[in-house]
């Protein structure tokens, strides 16, 4: 049966652990002779901007001997209202996997329903599961097993936060979320993680004694018209030195990037000693190569 990766919970805990371990193995070996995807292609549909997601998938396919096709949705027939189901049927007869970045999780689910090949969520309004594979690899790389540890999410209860919630359940860590009123994560996604996730009343409460502090932009792609309102609402939610001091002394700082210094994070934190954001960005490459291997072997 074709496996898709539309949200992190599409993997079992054992599968997720296997993908992360494999990602680290690929990173350590950097074996350019391992070319399992010769002749294979990945179609990458983007209706939103990207640096990391595009380059990591494109580079990963090339390293594996395959090829990635960058398809901006605006210059395909999708941009002229060809149905997503028809697009899925056509692309999946020509390509070995499809990656899609757009607004709609529902459209991605529809694409998967009509695709013969794995469909990968490269970000939607609801989830960003590829990001969390890289984050989990990075946490393990720096601090070993994260089971039983505590992460704090500070800021918007957005797509990356939703994937982090699923990661908490999958990898067995506790997640404390501090989001302003009206910007909390989806209640259903929070509930599905059970005891692993709790909502806090402020940034300090979430950060205290945490092993990992994570944030993301206050204004996600597509929300630009709300920027001024959001800047006001998120006052007090910047990850700065004072907040980092509340966490454990060996706490790490992560951000999926792109970042806005002086808004969700101070320059001193993101460019400081506890920040692992460049490893986190690099690991998009290794984690997604491991994911592609896993999905194409399934
Ligand atoms: N973190 C992330 O997905 O980055 P891009 O938007 O640059 O792909
Ligand atoms: N939450 C951000 C993540 C960007 C990688 C957005 O959706 O724009």
């Amino acid at each position: 049966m074709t496996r898709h990766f539309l949200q992190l919970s599409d993997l079992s805990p054992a599968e997720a652990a296997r993908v992360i371990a494999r990602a680290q193995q690929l990173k350590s070996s950097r074996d350019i002779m391992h070319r399992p995807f010769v002749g294979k292609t990945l179609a990458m549909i983007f209706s939103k901007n990207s640096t990391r997601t595009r380059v990591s998938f494109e580079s990963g396919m090339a390293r594996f001997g395959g090829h990635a096709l960058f398809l901006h949705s605006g210059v395909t027939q999708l941009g002229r209202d060809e149905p997503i189901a028809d697009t899925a049927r056509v692309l999946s007869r020509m390509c070995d996997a499809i990656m899609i970045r757009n607004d709609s999780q529902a459209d991605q689910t529809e694409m998967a329903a009509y695709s013969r090949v794995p469909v990968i969520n490269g970000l939607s309004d609801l989830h960003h599961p590829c990001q969390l594979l890289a984050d989990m690899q990075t946490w393990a790389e720096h601090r070993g097993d994260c089971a039983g540890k505590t992460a704090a999410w500070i800021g918007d209860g957005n797509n990356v936060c939703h994937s982090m919630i699923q990661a908490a359940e999958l990898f067995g860590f506790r997640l404390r979320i501090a989001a302003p009123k009206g910007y909390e994560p989806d209640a259903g996604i929070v509930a599905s993680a059970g005891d692993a996730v709790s909502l806090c009343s402020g940034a300090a409460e979430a950060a205290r004694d945490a092993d990992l502090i994570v944030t993301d932009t206050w204004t996600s792609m597509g929300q630009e018209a709300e920027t001024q309102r959001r800047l006001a609402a998120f006052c007090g939610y910047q990850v700065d030195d004072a907040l980092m001091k509340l966490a454990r002394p060996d706490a790490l700082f992560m951000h999926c990037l792109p970042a806005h210094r002086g808004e969700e994070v101070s320059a001193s934190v993101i460019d400081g000693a506890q920040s692992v954001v460049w490893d986190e960005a690099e690991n998009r490459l290794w984690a997604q190569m491991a994911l592609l291997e896993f999905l194409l072997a399934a």
Side-chain angles (χ1 to χ4, degrees):
M1 203 186 70
T2 305
R3 293 288 300 266
H4 303 291
F5 187 61
L6 302 180
Q7 51 186 316
L8 202 62
S9 60
D10 287 343
L11 298 180
S12 70
E15 289 169 342
R18 217 172 88 201
V19 169
I20 300 301
R22 177 64 180 147
Q24 198 55 27
Q25 203 178 46
L26 288 166
K27 183 174 187 175
S28 319
S29 75
R30 291 171 194 263
D31 177 8
I32 55 163
M33 299 311 286
H34 179 60
R35 296 170 81 80
F37 291 171
V38 172
K40 292 194 190 295
T41 53
L42 170 72
M44 305 191 298
I45 302 167
F46 284 92
S47 64
K48 292 180 165 187
N49 291 26
S50 171
T51 297
R52 282 145 287 268
T53 304
R54 176 183 175 178
V55 175
S56 53
F57 271 113
E58 205 163 316
S59 182
M61 283 300 291
R63 280 172 179 264
F64 271 167
H67 181 72
L69 296 88
F70 174 70
L71 304 168
H72 189 277
S73 56
V75 297
T76 67
Q77 298 291 8
L78 265 177
R80 294 180 60 247
D81 290 336
E82 182 167 14
I84 198 125
D86 293 358
T87 305
R89 284 185 276 218
V90 171
L91 289 182
S92 70
R93 283 173 181 240
M94 299 176 181
C95 299
D96 299 277
I98 300 170
M99 187 240 87
I100 175 165
R101 166 173 286 199
N102 69 349
D103 282 334
S104 166
Q105 186 76 21
D107 281 357
Q108 296 195 8
T109 303
E110 188 179 353
M111 177 153 270
Y114 287 91
S115 172
R116 293 176 169 184
V117 301
V119 175
I120 298 169
N121 177 353
L123 181 144
S124 70
D125 51 1
L126 212 56
H127 294 285
H128 195 3
C130 292
Q131 182 64 51
L132 261 293
L133 290 180
D135 292 8
M136 292 301 103
Q137 182 189 348
T138 309
W139 199 0
E141 183 176 35
H142 283 268
R143 295 286 184 266
D145 190 1
C146 66
K149 293 190 177 156
T150 300
W153 177 275
I154 312 293
D156 194 14
N158 63 13
N159 43 10
V160 181
C161 179
H162 291 153
S163 291
M164 186 113 207
I165 291 168
Q166 294 193 337
E169 207 197 354
L170 215 54
F171 291 90
F173 63 90
R174 281 185 299 275
L175 176 62
R176 297 198 295 244
I177 299 169
K181 205 168 158 28
Y183 297 93
E184 298 95 344
D186 178 86
I189 295 175
V190 172
S192 71
D195 292 345
V197 175
S198 56
L199 300 185
C200 299
S201 56
E205 187 186 324
R208 194 158 286 122
D209 297 325
D211 299 280
L212 171 66
I213 306 281
V214 193
T215 191
D216 184 16
T217 181
W218 291 337
T219 303
S220 284
M221 289 181 278
Q223 299 171 334
E224 289 78 5
E226 301 171 24
T227 302
Q228 288 313 316
R229 182 152 52 88
R230 285 174 167 269
L231 280 173
F234 284 90
C235 179
Y237 285 83
Q238 183 183 97
V239 179
D240 57 13
D241 292 316
L243 196 74
M244 287 302 293
K245 279 206 175 66
L246 296 176
R248 287 173 54 95
D250 65 345
L252 300 174
F253 170 75
M254 287 193 204
H255 188 311
C256 64
L257 305 176
H260 307 81
R261 290 169 175 79
E263 294 183 18
E264 75 272 9
V265 62
S266 68
S268 57
V269 169
I270 195 167
D271 299 319
Q274 289 168 279
S275 172
V276 290
V277 297
W278 312 121
D279 291 332
E280 185 186 1
E282 177 187 335
N283 287 341
R284 294 292 304 276
L285 170 67
W286 308 112
Q288 287 158 201
M289 287 172 75
L291 175 73
L292 285 164
E293 254 190 358
F294 171 80
L295 292 174
L296 266 63

